[in-house]
Amino acid sequence: MATPARVAANQLRRAFGQASTKRSCAMPRSTSSVGFVACPALKLFDSVAPQSHCTFHSTAGQRPTKQPSTQRRNYSSRPPEAEHHHHVRQKVTLATLRKLYKRREPITVMTAHDFPTGTLVDKAGIDMTLVGDSLAMVALGYTSTSEITLDEMLHHCRAVARGTRASFLVADMPFGTYETSPEQAVANAVRILKEGKAEAVKLEGGREMAPTIARLTQVGIPVLGHIGLTPQRQASLGGYKVQGKSAAKAMVLLEDALALQKAGCYAIVLEAVPEPVARHITNVLSVPTIGIGAGAGCSGQVLVQQDMLGLYGRVPRFCKTYRNLADEIVGALKEYSADVKAGTFPSEEHCYPMPQEELGKFMKMIGQQDHQGKAAAAVENNNNHKEEQQKPVAEAATA
């Protein structure tokens, strides 16, 4: 049975069937890092089957076109957009997350704050990418998450979206963009989905936010809830402290979770909550819980990418550091600096060559210019010498 991509390719062949160039296309199912269409007439095909490779055969004395290479270097000035089309997994949707939850398969969530981090999270096969307001601190250097603005969040969300193809994309609503009224929340959430290219929003708060969440879900905006330690409210909580350690406070968390579920949240983040409390809340709810410092009993887990990669040294107790990239990066930067100072970088392999024939022409041009320059300099020196000689004569005549 012909695939949609194959059908599209055949249609394009027929559309350009009168051209004198014969096209033969093969579509390997490879997930290599290369996927491009060199044929100008089949540019449209690139959007249908980006992994295709086109071969050209010259006819009627036409100049043969260069065969496309199976490797293409991605330069720093050109993002590797072709690689984004090579995900073999299907797009993660709310339905996908519900299936994972029903199968009791843990849901993976990771933060991202720009194009590279979004791309890496997507490539790693993470189920859900969160553009968290934690980027205020780990990416922008603010002292708290409450300082980031909606425009800043939109900027970073768009960057992450450009690197995300399969992962479900969620963005935090910044402090001050949803607390005033449900109408305010809807207006700003619409911006996050339209301008930020997110698929859902996350907001902090318990039952007091239920009417706002209900309004958002009524207009078709998926909401990820967040209770426990809510960083945007850390000042009123007395700092970044574990929540729900007493029986009374644990009961409040349970009631908050039930209120958010009733309001329409598709999942709820539990942050810095004792493991038994988080496990019980997870068992009571009929929507997934995403834990961060809430134990293994949750339906899924989320971490801040910079923390788990060891970019800033000290991390919270709940975070596992999978790599110490800070040391690796600083070491690489020091090696670069040392190479430049020693004159060992760039070496020949990092330089672009020039055809010998053209180099010879260029050197000949330089030689002519040098000769002309020396002749002009000699004339100028001679003129200056004459002027110096004439000065005493002119001065004597004046006297």
Short mmCIF file of all heavy atoms in Angstrom, two decimals, residues 241-279:
data_model
loop_
_atom_site.label_atom_id
_atom_site.label_comp_id
_atom_site.label_asym_id
_atom_site.label_seq_id
_atom_site.Cartn_x
_atom_site.Cartn_y
_atom_site.Cartn_z
N LYS A 241 10.24 25.41 51.33
CA LYS A 241 10.12 24.38 52.37
C LYS A 241 9.14 23.28 51.94
O LYS A 241 8.23 23.51 51.14
CB LYS A 241 9.64 25.02 53.67
CG LYS A 241 10.61 26.04 54.27
CD LYS A 241 10.09 26.60 55.57
CE LYS A 241 11.09 27.58 56.18
NZ LYS A 241 10.60 28.15 57.47
N VAL A 242 9.35 22.10 52.50
CA VAL A 242 8.46 20.97 52.24
C VAL A 242 7.07 21.31 52.75
O VAL A 242 6.91 21.88 53.84
CB VAL A 242 9.00 19.69 52.92
CG1 VAL A 242 8.04 18.53 52.70
CG2 VAL A 242 10.39 19.36 52.40
N GLN A 243 6.05 20.95 51.97
CA GLN A 243 4.66 21.23 52.33
C GLN A 243 3.92 19.92 52.66
O GLN A 243 4.20 18.89 52.08
CB GLN A 243 3.97 21.93 51.16
CG GLN A 243 4.63 23.23 50.74
CD GLN A 243 4.63 24.29 51.82
OE1 GLN A 243 3.59 24.64 52.36
NE2 GLN A 243 5.82 24.79 52.15
N GLY A 244 2.97 20.01 53.61
CA GLY A 244 2.16 18.85 53.94
C GLY A 244 2.80 17.91 54.94
O GLY A 244 2.51 16.71 54.93
N LYS A 245 3.66 18.41 55.81
CA LYS A 245 4.34 17.54 56.77
C LYS A 245 3.47 17.21 57.98
O LYS A 245 3.70 16.20 58.64
CB LYS A 245 5.65 18.18 57.23
CG LYS A 245 6.67 18.32 56.11
CD LYS A 245 7.97 18.94 56.60
CE LYS A 245 8.77 17.98 57.47
NZ LYS A 245 10.11 18.53 57.78
N SER A 246 2.47 18.05 58.24
CA SER A 246 1.53 17.74 59.32
C SER A 246 0.28 17.11 58.73
O SER A 246 -0.01 17.27 57.53
CB SER A 246 1.17 19.01 60.08
OG SER A 246 0.38 19.87 59.28
N ALA A 247 -0.48 16.40 59.57
CA ALA A 247 -1.70 15.74 59.10
C ALA A 247 -2.69 16.76 58.54
O ALA A 247 -3.32 16.52 57.49
CB ALA A 247 -2.34 14.95 60.24
N ALA A 248 -2.82 17.89 59.21
CA ALA A 248 -3.78 18.92 58.77
C ALA A 248 -3.37 19.50 57.42
O ALA A 248 -4.21 19.66 56.51
CB ALA A 248 -3.88 20.02 59.82
N LYS A 249 -2.08 19.78 57.26
CA LYS A 249 -1.62 20.35 55.99
C LYS A 249 -1.66 19.33 54.86
O LYS A 249 -1.90 19.68 53.69
CB LYS A 249 -0.21 20.92 56.16
CG LYS A 249 -0.18 22.16 57.06
CD LYS A 249 1.23 22.73 57.16
CE LYS A 249 1.22 23.99 58.02
NZ LYS A 249 2.58 24.57 58.17
N ALA A 250 -1.43 18.06 55.22
CA ALA A 250 -1.53 17.01 54.20
C ALA A 250 -2.97 16.89 53.71
O ALA A 250 -3.22 16.66 52.52
CB ALA A 250 -1.06 15.68 54.79
N MET A 251 -3.93 17.06 54.62
CA MET A 251 -5.34 17.01 54.25
C MET A 251 -5.71 18.17 53.33
O MET A 251 -6.49 18.00 52.38
CB MET A 251 -6.21 17.05 55.51
CG MET A 251 -7.63 16.59 55.26
SD MET A 251 -7.65 14.83 54.80
CE MET A 251 -9.32 14.72 54.16
N VAL A 252 -5.11 19.34 53.59
CA VAL A 252 -5.35 20.50 52.73
C VAL A 252 -4.86 20.20 51.31
O VAL A 252 -5.52 20.53 50.32
CB VAL A 252 -4.66 21.75 53.29
CG1 VAL A 252 -4.71 22.89 52.28
CG2 VAL A 252 -5.32 22.18 54.60
N LEU A 253 -3.68 19.58 51.20
CA LEU A 253 -3.14 19.23 49.88
C LEU A 253 -4.05 18.27 49.14
O LEU A 253 -4.28 18.41 47.93
CB LEU A 253 -1.75 18.62 50.03
CG LEU A 253 -0.61 19.58 50.37
CD1 LEU A 253 0.70 18.81 50.52
CD2 LEU A 253 -0.46 20.65 49.29
N LEU A 254 -4.58 17.28 49.86
CA LEU A 254 -5.50 16.32 49.24
C LEU A 254 -6.75 17.03 48.73
O LEU A 254 -7.20 16.78 47.59
CB LEU A 254 -5.88 15.23 50.24
CG LEU A 254 -6.94 14.22 49.78
CD1 LEU A 254 -6.47 13.49 48.52
CD2 LEU A 254 -7.26 13.23 50.90
N GLU A 255 -7.31 17.92 49.53
CA GLU A 255 -8.50 18.65 49.11
C GLU A 255 -8.20 19.56 47.92
O GLU A 255 -9.03 19.69 47.01
CB GLU A 255 -9.04 19.47 50.29
CG GLU A 255 -9.59 18.59 51.42
CD GLU A 255 -9.91 19.39 52.67
OE1 GLU A 255 -9.58 20.61 52.70
OE2 GLU A 255 -10.45 18.80 53.63
N ASP A 256 -7.02 20.17 47.94
CA ASP A 256 -6.63 21.00 46.80
C ASP A 256 -6.53 20.17 45.52
O ASP A 256 -7.00 20.58 44.45
CB ASP A 256 -5.27 21.67 47.08
CG ASP A 256 -5.38 22.86 48.02
OD1 ASP A 256 -6.51 23.37 48.17
OD2 ASP A 256 -4.35 23.25 48.59
N ALA A 257 -5.92 19.00 45.64
CA ALA A 257 -5.76 18.13 44.48
C ALA A 257 -7.11 17.71 43.91
O ALA A 257 -7.32 17.72 42.68
CB ALA A 257 -4.93 16.90 44.85
N LEU A 258 -8.03 17.37 44.78
CA LEU A 258 -9.37 16.96 44.32
C LEU A 258 -10.09 18.14 43.66
O LEU A 258 -10.80 17.95 42.65
CB LEU A 258 -10.19 16.44 45.50
CG LEU A 258 -9.73 15.08 46.06
CD1 LEU A 258 -10.43 14.77 47.38
CD2 LEU A 258 -9.98 13.98 45.04
N ALA A 259 -9.90 19.34 44.19
CA ALA A 259 -10.54 20.52 43.60
C ALA A 259 -9.98 20.81 42.21
O ALA A 259 -10.73 21.14 41.28
CB ALA A 259 -10.34 21.72 44.52
N LEU A 260 -8.66 20.66 42.04
CA LEU A 260 -8.05 20.90 40.73
C LEU A 260 -8.49 19.84 39.73
O LEU A 260 -8.71 20.15 38.55
CB LEU A 260 -6.52 20.90 40.85
CG LEU A 260 -5.89 22.00 41.71
CD1 LEU A 260 -4.37 22.03 41.51
CD2 LEU A 260 -6.47 23.37 41.40
N GLN A 261 -8.60 18.61 40.18
CA GLN A 261 -9.08 17.55 39.29
C GLN A 261 -10.51 17.85 38.83
O GLN A 261 -10.83 17.73 37.64
CB GLN A 261 -9.04 16.21 40.01
CG GLN A 261 -9.63 15.07 39.19
CD GLN A 261 -9.58 13.75 39.95
OE1 GLN A 261 -8.68 12.96 39.79
NE2 GLN A 261 -10.58 13.51 40.81
N LYS A 262 -11.36 18.25 39.76
CA LYS A 262 -12.75 18.58 39.42
C LYS A 262 -12.83 19.76 38.47
O LYS A 262 -13.70 19.82 37.58
CB LYS A 262 -13.53 18.87 40.70
CG LYS A 262 -15.02 19.11 40.46
CD LYS A 262 -15.76 19.32 41.78
CE LYS A 262 -17.24 19.56 41.55
NZ LYS A 262 -17.97 19.80 42.84
N ALA A 263 -11.90 20.71 38.61
CA ALA A 263 -11.90 21.90 37.76
C ALA A 263 -11.47 21.58 36.33
O ALA A 263 -11.72 22.37 35.42
CB ALA A 263 -10.98 22.96 38.35
N GLY A 264 -10.79 20.43 36.14
CA GLY A 264 -10.46 20.01 34.78
C GLY A 264 -8.99 19.84 34.46
O GLY A 264 -8.64 19.66 33.29
N CYS A 265 -8.10 19.89 35.46
CA CYS A 265 -6.67 19.69 35.20
C CYS A 265 -6.43 18.29 34.60
O CYS A 265 -6.99 17.30 35.07
CB CYS A 265 -5.86 19.81 36.49
SG CYS A 265 -5.63 21.50 37.06
N TYR A 266 -5.60 18.21 33.56
CA TYR A 266 -5.30 16.91 32.98
C TYR A 266 -4.23 16.17 33.78
O TYR A 266 -4.06 14.95 33.66
CB TYR A 266 -4.86 17.06 31.52
CG TYR A 266 -3.49 17.65 31.31
CD1 TYR A 266 -2.36 16.85 31.29
CD2 TYR A 266 -3.34 19.02 31.11
CE1 TYR A 266 -1.11 17.39 31.10
CE2 TYR A 266 -2.09 19.58 30.90
CZ TYR A 266 -0.97 18.76 30.89
OH TYR A 266 0.28 19.30 30.70
N ALA A 267 -3.50 16.90 34.62
CA ALA A 267 -2.50 16.32 35.52
C ALA A 267 -2.15 17.38 36.56
O ALA A 267 -2.46 18.56 36.39
CB ALA A 267 -1.25 15.89 34.76
N ILE A 268 -1.49 16.95 37.65
CA ILE A 268 -1.16 17.87 38.74
C ILE A 268 0.26 17.61 39.21
O ILE A 268 0.63 16.47 39.48
CB ILE A 268 -2.14 17.70 39.93
CG1 ILE A 268 -3.58 17.97 39.48
CG2 ILE A 268 -1.75 18.61 41.08
CD1 ILE A 268 -4.62 17.64 40.55
N VAL A 269 1.05 18.69 39.29
CA VAL A 269 2.40 18.61 39.83
C VAL A 269 2.34 18.67 41.35
O VAL A 269 1.67 19.53 41.92
CB VAL A 269 3.29 19.76 39.29
CG1 VAL A 269 4.63 19.79 40.01
CG2 VAL A 269 3.49 19.62 37.80
N LEU A 270 3.05 17.74 42.00
CA LEU A 270 3.19 17.73 43.45
C LEU A 270 4.65 18.03 43.76
O LEU A 270 5.52 17.21 43.49
CB LEU A 270 2.79 16.38 44.04
CG LEU A 270 1.37 15.86 43.72
CD1 LEU A 270 1.17 14.49 44.33
CD2 LEU A 270 0.32 16.84 44.22
N GLU A 271 4.93 19.20 44.33
CA GLU A 271 6.32 19.57 44.60
C GLU A 271 6.61 19.63 46.09
O GLU A 271 5.87 20.23 46.86
CB GLU A 271 6.65 20.94 43.97
CG GLU A 271 8.09 21.37 44.22
CD GLU A 271 8.52 22.57 43.41
OE1 GLU A 271 7.71 23.06 42.60
OE2 GLU A 271 9.67 23.01 43.59
N ALA A 272 7.72 19.00 46.48
CA ALA A 272 8.22 19.01 47.85
C ALA A 272 7.12 18.59 48.83
O ALA A 272 6.77 19.33 49.77
CB ALA A 272 8.78 20.39 48.21
N VAL A 273 6.61 17.40 48.60
CA VAL A 273 5.55 16.82 49.43
C VAL A 273 6.06 15.50 49.98
O VAL A 273 6.71 14.73 49.25
CB VAL A 273 4.26 16.61 48.60
CG1 VAL A 273 3.21 15.87 49.41
CG2 VAL A 273 3.73 17.94 48.10
N PRO A 274 5.81 15.18 51.25
CA PRO A 274 6.25 13.89 51.79
C PRO A 274 5.77 12.72 50.93
O PRO A 274 4.62 12.73 50.45
CB PRO A 274 5.63 13.87 53.18
CG PRO A 274 5.49 15.31 53.56
CD PRO A 274 5.17 16.01 52.27
N GLU A 275 6.61 11.74 50.76
CA GLU A 275 6.30 10.62 49.86
C GLU A 275 4.98 9.92 50.18
O GLU A 275 4.18 9.66 49.26
CB GLU A 275 7.47 9.62 49.89
CG GLU A 275 7.44 8.58 48.77
CD GLU A 275 6.57 7.37 49.12
OE1 GLU A 275 6.31 7.17 50.32
OE2 GLU A 275 6.17 6.64 48.19
N PRO A 276 4.66 9.63 51.47
CA PRO A 276 3.38 8.96 51.75
C PRO A 276 2.17 9.80 51.36
O PRO A 276 1.16 9.27 50.88
CB PRO A 276 3.43 8.73 53.27
CG PRO A 276 4.88 8.78 53.62
CD PRO A 276 5.48 9.78 52.69
N VAL A 277 2.29 11.11 51.55
CA VAL A 277 1.17 12.00 51.20
C VAL A 277 0.99 12.04 49.68
O VAL A 277 -0.14 11.93 49.17
CB VAL A 277 1.43 13.43 51.73
CG1 VAL A 277 0.31 14.38 51.30
CG2 VAL A 277 1.55 13.42 53.25
N ALA A 278 2.08 12.17 48.95
CA ALA A 278 2.00 12.20 47.49
C ALA A 278 1.48 10.88 46.94
O ALA A 278 0.68 10.86 45.99
CB ALA A 278 3.39 12.49 46.91
N ARG A 279 1.88 9.78 47.55
CA ARG A 279 1.41 8.47 47.08
C ARG A 279 -0.09 8.34 47.29
O ARG A 279 -0.82 7.83 46.41
CB ARG A 279 2.15 7.36 47.82
CG ARG A 279 1.82 5.95 47.31
CD ARG A 279 2.60 4.91 48.10
NE ARG A 279 4.04 5.03 47.87
CZ ARG A 279 4.67 4.46 46.87
NH1 ARG A 279 3.99 3.73 45.98
NH2 ARG A 279 5.98 4.59 46.75
#
